[in-house]
Amino acid sequence: MRPTAFTGRLGVQHPLVLAPMAGGPSTPALCAAVSEAGGLGSHGGAYLPPAKLRDDIRAIRAATSRPFAINLFADDGAAGDERTLRAAQEAVAGYRAQLGLPPPSPPAPLVTLREAFPVILEERVPVFSFTFGIPPQEMLDACRKAGIATMGTATTVAEARALEQSGVDFVCAQGAEAGGHRGTFDRDAEPPLIGTLALVPQVVDAVRLPVIAAGGIMDGRGFAAALALGASAVSLGTAFLLCPEAGTSAPYRAALRQARDDATVITRAFSGRAARGLSNRFTREMSDAPIAPYPIQNALTREIRAAAAKLGDPGFLSLWAGQAAALAHEIPARELVAQIVHEAEAVISGLRAEP
Ligand SMILES: Cc1cc2nc3c(=O)[nH]c(=O)nc-3n(C[C@H](O)[C@H](O)[C@H](O)COP(=O)(O)O)c2cc1C
């Protein structure tokens, strides 16, 4: 495959990124396997206490000397008012009782960007990627000084332009098909659900930065299509969820194996922020329930998710997945990267051969 602005700038072989997948699926082993295979591995560092984040970065470095990315959330969220919080607590109380959990104590806050960012800097990770907005300018300036490349997520052209203005090195255009949280900056807004096929060329036309396409890309066909749209690389999350190196839990894997094209929904029920995952009992029953803002809702459902995971019950798990989850393969990450690259090359040469 021809070099792109992405491969040239980062010195990686293939214009393929393993998307960060915080909250379980991301592991140092998965990240290192993709980097070793010639792509850019990413590790979802959000939610990790700084000491664990540092250990994970060192574990990645012990397994590969190639570039990788560490991803954090640029938005620490909001506290929410008393009334909303109480209503949201009541909405999940029945589930807690069913799972044998005590009534919720005041939710513990998540690790903030300010707490986690020093680890990025001190460990001088090759790439710092982020979602949910733009980190403070001094953090981006510090990355530039330290030689750390930066990559922000955009779900609209306006967000991509704002990222370019802030001086980041790469923009990841996240289409509506994508699994996991929408990267949309405004946490309260209805997320604009612009599909990958529509978003990528508009972002490519709007910014001068290399654009990475994300959302619904599972194989060489999607890879070739994204390059045709002007992307410099692709970012795949759901495609890697069934790899043995991923931290995807057993009930989550079982649900993914049955996923169909119409299996996903956008929900705020788990975290307070809009995210795409497989529809299950919790997303269905909570669709009209009062929800606390991110990250309070995340804290309110944390023990429910943990208890369900222990019971092997997918009904209360956040089963983040993209719209093309049915195309996921259960093979080692290294083989998956080689297969996708090979397929993309075949697709591209097949298109050239057409009269
Ligand atoms: C399980 C899961 C967790 C995710 N966690 C993160 C995350 O921590 N940070 C982030 O920037 N994006 C996260 N995403 C979104 C991905 O970066 C990416 O946009 C998405 O996976 C691309 O769509 P696809 O899943 O169809 O490949 C997550 C996606 C999934 C499936």
Side-chain angles (χ1 to χ4, degrees), residues 38-56:
L40 181 78
S42 304
H43 188 57
Y47 314 127
L48 297 181
K52 167 73 174 137
L53 177 59
R54 194 184 302 276
D55 286 351
D56 281 3

Side-chain angles (χ1 to χ4, degrees), residues 100-149:
L101 295 166
S105 39
L110 289 179
V111 179
T112 63
L113 179 64
R114 283 207 183 278
E115 286 164 334
F117 181 73
V119 180
I120 300 283
L121 211 52
E122 285 155 24
E123 295 294 320
R124 286 192 178 240
V125 302
V127 181
F128 169 44
S129 72
F130 47 85
T131 187
F132 297 168
I134 307 178
Q137 195 62 46
E138 71 264 19
M139 291 188 190
L140 296 178
D141 293 345
C143 285
R144 188 162 293 276
K145 258 198 208 141
I148 298 171

Side-chain angles (χ1 to χ4, degrees), residues 14-338:
H14 307 305
L16 183 151
V17 181
L18 157 71
M21 295 189 279
S26 267
T27 62
L30 181 62
C31 174
V34 172
S35 290
E36 279 294 290
L40 181 78
S42 304
H43 188 57
Y47 314 127
L48 297 181
K52 167 73 174 137
L53 177 59
R54 194 184 302 276
D55 286 351
D56 281 3
I57 292 169
R58 292 184 179 175
I60 294 165
R61 281 225 158 93
T64 184
S65 54
R66 300 195 175 182
F68 61 90
I70 298 292
N71 178 272
L72 295 175
F73 294 165
D75 175 29
D76 292 331
D81 61 85
E82 255 319 297
R83 239 179 70 199
T84 315
L85 184 58
R86 217 170 311 118
Q89 273 178 330
E90 276 164 25
V92 299
Y95 299 113
R96 295 185 66 94
Q98 265 178 51
L99 290 161
L101 295 166
S105 39
L110 289 179
V111 179
T112 63
L113 179 64
R114 283 207 183 278
E115 286 164 334
F117 181 73
V119 180
I120 300 283
L121 211 52
E122 285 155 24
E123 295 294 320
R124 286 192 178 240
V125 302
V127 181
F128 169 44
S129 72
F130 47 85
T131 187
F132 297 168
I134 307 178
Q137 195 62 46
E138 71 264 19
M139 291 188 190
L140 296 178
D141 293 345
C143 285
R144 188 162 293 276
K145 258 198 208 141
I148 298 171
T150 51
M151 187 187 293
T153 308
T155 61
T156 61
V157 165
E159 289 174 353
R161 285 209 173 102
L163 284 163
E164 180 171 55
Q165 271 178 8
S166 73
V168 304
D169 297 302
F170 300 97
V171 172
C172 180
Q174 187 196 40
E177 299 93 320
H181 282 103
R182 305 295 311 143
T184 303
F185 292 8
D186 182 346
R187 72 176 91 88
D188 300 319
E190 269 312 301
L193 294 173
I194 306 163
T196 306
L197 193 69
L199 180 66
V200 171
Q202 294 187 73
V203 171
V204 166
D205 285 352
V207 299
R208 292 211 245 169
L209 300 174
V211 175
I212 296 147
I217 302 168
M218 301 295 287
D219 54 28
R221 295 171 291 182
F223 193 164
L227 294 178
L229 296 174
S232 283
V234 289
S235 178
L236 288 71
T238 304
F240 287 93
L241 281 172
L242 288 178
C243 291
E245 299 92 336
T248 317
S249 69
Y252 191 171
R253 283 175 190 266
L256 283 165
R257 285 185 197 111
Q258 290 169 19
R260 301 227 193 121
D261 55 348
D262 60 353
T264 68
V265 288
I266 299 276
T267 180
R268 289 181 190 266
F270 287 106
S271 71
R273 258 195 177 266
R276 183 179 295 283
L278 300 178
S279 160
N280 62 3
R281 182 174 161 198
F282 198 69
T283 63
R284 281 191 293 272
E285 292 180 3
M286 291 286 290
S287 62
D288 292 323
I291 306 256
Y294 169 87
I296 307 296
Q297 186 72 14
N298 183 77
L300 282 180
T301 64
R302 187 184 301 142
E303 289 170 323
I304 294 174
R305 287 178 277 129
K310 263 195 201 147
L311 294 170
D313 180 353
F316 298 109
L317 297 179
S318 50
L319 304 167
W320 301 146
Q323 288 181 323
L327 299 176
H329 293 290
E330 245 168 308
I331 55 173
R334 200 180 177 127
E335 280 173 40
L336 184 57
V337 172

